[in-house]
Amino acid sequence: MNRKLKYILLSFFLLLVVLFLGFFTWSQLTYKPSSELDTLLDKSEIQYEEDWIIFNQHSSKLGIVLYPGAKVEPEAYSYYGKQLANKGYLVAIPKVHFNFALFDSNKATKIIENYPSVEKWIIGGHSLGGVAAAKFAYDHPKKVDGVFLLGSYPSEVNDFSKMKTPMLSIYAEMDGLTTVEKINETKKFLSKNATVHEIKGGNHAQFGVYGKQKGDNEAGISIKIQQDEMVSVTSEWIKEIK
């Protein structure tokens, strides 16, 4: 190998290292739970099992896996998860590689295998976490009994339009990232058995409890109102597919 080629390969390798380190550093600048979570939930109720948060792990025949949005820490979805667990469901919120669920879309497999007594599984997620959830459900149809999306939608390669998978899409009127227009454009990728619900006055960040997010719009309702509506709509949908 001549010196010039060695130099090119070394330069390319160093560039990859720099890019990876830059991405890794950026991925660790996460959205952490905001102080408002303390008013909604006693943090002592947050339990950990391996590398996911778990609620109601001992007494449910129906389990829910919720993938976090990009760079959002799992704890930010604890109120929503706990309220669904209070309805009698097991709820797991995983920590994902590089804080991007798309890099860890098969994480649900590990969770499902860890709780063999659970008979049915519903997979969902917020924002890019919803994209990852839809991918998992599309790739593992026999493992999943329903898909829910919070300010999210399936990618074009995971087109459910010819499938009967129960789906729930909850979107927000003031969402500045997953906009109403984007939701309408992607409804064609939902299944034949899809329920779509708009939260009036809601925004993107209030699908979790982690404060404001760049690019989002101001919400016209409180976090608690949005979260409680999410819980109500989700639990009613689950009753229809149990």
Side-chain angles (χ1 to χ4, degrees):
M1 187 181 295
N2 61 48
R3 183 176 298 179
K4 183 177 181 180
L5 182 57
K6 286 182 179 179
Y7 175 78
I8 292 172
L9 290 175
L10 178 60
S11 298
F12 182 69
F13 174 75
L14 291 175
L15 176 61
L16 289 178
V17 170
V18 170
L19 290 173
F20 173 77
L21 290 175
F23 169 78
F24 179 79
T25 301
W26 177 74
S27 73
Q28 302 309 300
L29 301 174
T30 56
Y31 291 100
K32 303 179 186 302
S34 68
S35 59
E36 290 178 272
L37 185 62
D38 293 326
T39 68
L40 298 173
L41 180 78
D42 182 344
K43 288 185 178 178
S44 66
E45 297 179 275
I46 302 176
Q47 300 179 23
Y48 296 86
E49 179 75 24
E50 297 194 27
D51 55 351
W52 54 82
I53 293 171
I54 188 73
F55 295 107
N56 194 27
Q57 67 186 93
H58 300 298
S59 60
S60 180
K61 296 298 181 182
L62 187 143
I64 299 169
V65 178
L66 170 63
Y67 286 105
K71 297 177 63 178
V72 183
E73 297 191 359
E75 290 82 358
Y77 303 94
S78 295
Y79 179 75
Y80 177 65
K82 176 61 177 174
Q83 296 307 305
L84 288 176
N86 289 344
K87 305 288 185 180
Y89 312 125
L90 177 150
V91 180
I93 311 171
K95 178 75 173 176
V96 292
H97 294 323
F98 305 112
N99 297 302
F100 278 85
L102 283 172
F103 291 125
D104 210 2
S105 63
N106 284 325
K107 190 61 166 283
T109 296
K110 185 178 179 182
I111 295 172
I112 290 170
E113 291 174 350
N114 214 62
Y115 304 100
S117 64
V118 175
E119 297 172 358
K120 289 187 175 183
W121 286 95
I122 294 169
I123 311 297
H126 171 220
S127 195
L128 284 177
V131 179
K135 181 181 187 305
F136 179 85
Y138 190 87
D139 292 341
H140 304 87
K142 293 183 179 180
K143 292 184 178 181
V144 177
D145 297 281
V147 179
F148 65 98
L149 306 167
L150 306 175
S152 186
Y153 48 86
S155 67
E156 187 173 354
V157 295
N158 302 138
D159 185 351
F160 288 81
S161 62
K162 296 181 181 179
M163 301 170 69
K164 296 181 180 179
T165 306
M167 300 186 80
L168 171 66
S169 172
I170 303 179
Y171 66 99
E173 178 187 22
M174 306 304 294
D175 194 323
L177 300 172
T178 305
T179 62
V180 174
E181 290 75 20
K182 193 64 178 179
I183 289 292
N184 288 331
E185 288 174 10
T186 56
K187 281 181 181 178
K188 60 188 177 184
F189 301 134
L190 299 179
S191 74
K192 298 176 182 178
N193 189 13
T195 299
V196 180
H197 178 85
E198 180 184 46
I199 298 180
K200 294 292 186 181
N203 71 358
H204 194 79
Q206 289 187 172
F207 280 111
V209 185
Y210 55 89
K212 295 183 179 182
Q213 186 167 357
K214 185 177 180 181
D216 201 8
N217 296 316
E218 288 289 335
I221 58 175
S222 70
I223 285 182
K224 188 174 189 307
I225 289 175
Q226 181 162 340
Q227 292 277 314
D228 286 345
E229 187 169 340
M230 289 159 53
V231 172
S232 176
V233 172
T234 306
S235 59
E236 287 301 313
W237 170 74
I238 291 173
K239 289 178 184 177
E240 295 177 0
I241 64 174
K242 282 181 66 177

